[in-house]
Amino acid sequence: MMVAAPSLAQRTSSSWKIPPSASGDDFPSLAVLLGIDGRVIVECTATVSGQAKDCEISSESPDGLGFGERALEVVSRGLLNPATIDGRATPSRFRVAIPFMTERPRRSQTPPWRGPTPTPAAMAAADILAQQMLAEIPEPFMPEIDAPADRKALIESWFRQESPSPTETRRIFATLFARNISEADLQALSQGRPPVSKTPPDREQMIKSSLDLFDPDAVAIKVRARYCARFGCEVTPPSPAS
């Protein structure tokens, strides 16, 4: 008596219908500030409706910057074609790599100031304004640091060490004011009187005129070197299985 062999089930694996992709808003702020890349492997279940559920971080490099949490958010936005058995959708586990490629800060080549040299009187009045402003904003060059509690204080200390000293900071702001505010307005403002001019300084022009005085990217580069030496910034290369 001959028995027919059972037919093998026809299986298909899940595939991406809408692949997940990290945008600029997904990058951890400290990684962006320091220009550190990241890579996360996430393992999830593809449901019969194509959603990624029950996701877990399989690997994260470098750790401590928040890449893992952000990768989970990225994957949740994707949509899959579910796996099938004999044409019927079925849940299945899958792995996906989420890369985070930042633009590393590089020291900018800033042109020298080509405007008029402020007079001694303008610089004196601007120095008074700078002193008043810095009394209200004691750390103008300290960026917002979003980091684990055990690293936050250390990173902030590095930024303080690599940023201009209080004396240099005052000089920078005084020079910036003297370049962009008329001497008459500086005299009035330093004496607590309203400015003579009715037109406020152009903010964009002020930023441009400060580039030869202070380069924030140069500070970030130095802090990045110290961070990577202490905590490591290596990204684990992809394996064939990933």
Side-chain angles (χ1 to χ4, degrees), residues 149-228:
D150 61 339
R151 300 185 185 186
K152 181 179 175 67
L154 179 60
I155 298 170
E156 288 179 343
S157 72
W158 288 339
F159 269 97
R160 291 189 186 96
Q161 294 166 19
E162 300 296 350
S163 294
S165 67
T167 299
E168 183 66 11
T169 297
R170 181 171 169 178
R171 184 194 69 80
I172 290 171
F173 278 94
T175 305
L176 178 63
F177 294 155
R179 287 176 175 180
N180 293 276
I181 303 175
S182 69
E183 186 170 331
D185 283 349
L186 287 171
Q187 295 290 353
L189 292 169
S190 66
Q191 297 169 15
R193 296 184 285 109
V196 177
S197 172
K198 303 300 181 183
T199 304
D202 183 271
R203 181 178 178 82
E204 184 175 346
Q205 178 57 38
M206 289 189 72
I207 294 175
K208 290 180 179 179
S209 70
S210 70
L211 296 179
D212 67 321
L213 301 172
F214 173 68
D215 184 358
D217 281 352
V219 174
I221 289 170
K222 293 176 182 178
V223 173
R224 181 184 188 278
R226 298 178 71 165
Y227 181 94
C228 293

Side-chain angles (χ1 to χ4, degrees), residues 31-223:
V32 173
L33 178 64
L34 301 183
I36 298 175
D37 297 338
R39 185 174 185 273
V40 182
I41 302 295
V42 177
E43 185 172 345
C44 307
T45 294
T47 66
V48 295
S49 61
Q51 304 297 317
K53 297 294 185 181
D54 302 325
C55 295
E56 300 175 347
I57 299 170
S58 178
S59 68
E60 173 185 2
S61 63
D63 63 3
L65 288 168
F67 284 119
E69 291 80 1
R70 297 300 181 88
L72 292 176
E73 296 174 6
V74 172
V75 173
S76 69
R77 298 199 300 263
L79 185 63
L80 297 114
N81 298 306
T84 64
I85 298 179
D86 290 335
R88 180 176 296 180
T90 184
S92 63
R93 294 293 285 179
F94 70 93
R95 303 177 77 202
V96 60
I98 304 297
F100 293 86
M101 303 298 293
T102 61
E103 183 177 349
R104 289 183 173 83
R106 292 177 172 81
R107 190 176 183 86
S108 56
Q109 299 297 320
T110 56
W113 169 251
R114 299 189 184 281
T117 301
T119 66
M123 283 298 301
D127 184 65
I128 294 174
L129 286 182
Q131 184 179 17
Q132 294 171 350
M133 187 204 74
L134 293 174
E136 299 177 359
I137 311 176
E139 294 186 304
F141 298 133
M142 176 62 69
E144 188 70 27
I145 304 296
D146 182 13
D150 61 339
R151 300 185 185 186
K152 181 179 175 67
L154 179 60
I155 298 170
E156 288 179 343
S157 72
W158 288 339
F159 269 97
R160 291 189 186 96
Q161 294 166 19
E162 300 296 350
S163 294
S165 67
T167 299
E168 183 66 11
T169 297
R170 181 171 169 178
R171 184 194 69 80
I172 290 171
F173 278 94
T175 305
L176 178 63
F177 294 155
R179 287 176 175 180
N180 293 276
I181 303 175
S182 69
E183 186 170 331
D185 283 349
L186 287 171
Q187 295 290 353
L189 292 169
S190 66
Q191 297 169 15
R193 296 184 285 109
V196 177
S197 172
K198 303 300 181 183
T199 304
D202 183 271
R203 181 178 178 82
E204 184 175 346
Q205 178 57 38
M206 289 189 72
I207 294 175
K208 290 180 179 179
S209 70
S210 70
L211 296 179
D212 67 321
L213 301 172
F214 173 68
D215 184 358
D217 281 352
V219 174
I221 289 170
K222 293 176 182 178
V223 173

